[in-house]
Amino acid sequence: MEVSIPNKHKDFFHNVYDVVRLIPKGRVTSYGAIAKYLGSPRSSRMVGWAMNAAHNFSDVPAHRVVNRNGMLTGKMHFSSSTEMEKLLSKEGVSVSNDKIEKLNSVYWDPTHELEL
DNA sequence: CCATTGACTTAAG
DNA sequence: CCTTAAGCCAATG
């Protein structure tokens, strides 16, 4: 069994997973921020792709990753369409109309928080 | 190999 | 504030 999981870009994917796991509770970040932190600000879509595969990892809180506008674009990829919103709300993140309220207050930018 | 798609972002109206 | 268009990168068919 050499092809159970595509390990081709595990570096990029693993990097994404690491950052997502570091997101504090009650905070959220964007795909672009993670991509930028990884050195590829144009690969924001790839972060989303990584998240899609992240379902194989139980330690990746994908519900804390939203788009730049704070919109829950990936809610449809969860178990239920309301699961993501429910999880965020449970962590103290106000969500309205599939969008995060006061995004500026809960936004967590790895490049800013983890800047070296 | 070319075409289409996607959990995105930025710019312009 | 919302909509439309274009750009970008990798996976999938």
Side-chain angles (χ1 to χ4, degrees), chain A residues 55-98:
Chain A
H55 282 290
N56 299 309
F57 303 83
S58 343
D59 302 282
V60 181
H63 63 276
R64 291 179 187 155
V65 184
V66 296
N67 72 349
R68 213 33 169 136
N69 200 20
M71 194 172 182
L72 309 182
T73 48
K75 59 180 287 182
M76 62 172 83
H77 288 267
F78 280 77
S79 309
S80 300
S81 305
T82 54
E83 184 66 16
M84 190 175 186
E85 181 177 339
K86 182 193 268 183
L87 287 167
L88 287 171
S89 183
K90 198 171 186 175
E91 296 186 355
V93 180
S94 304
V95 179
S96 180
N97 194 13
D98 299 339

Side-chain angles (χ1 to χ4, degrees), chain A residues 95-111:
Chain A
V95 179
S96 180
N97 194 13
D98 299 339
K99 288 184 303 186
I100 294 178
E101 295 294 312
K102 301 173 184 171
L103 179 62
N104 192 30
S105 302
V106 297
Y107 190 67
W108 182 85
D109 187 345
T111 316

Side-chain angles (χ1 to χ4, degrees), chain A residues 16-41:
Chain A
V16 174
Y17 301 144
D18 265 354
V19 176
V20 175
R21 281 190 211 122
L22 291 173
I23 302 174
K25 184 181 177 184
R27 299 278 184 171
V28 298
T29 189
S30 60
Y31 307 95
I34 296 173
K36 186 173 185 177
Y37 180 69
L38 298 180
S40 301

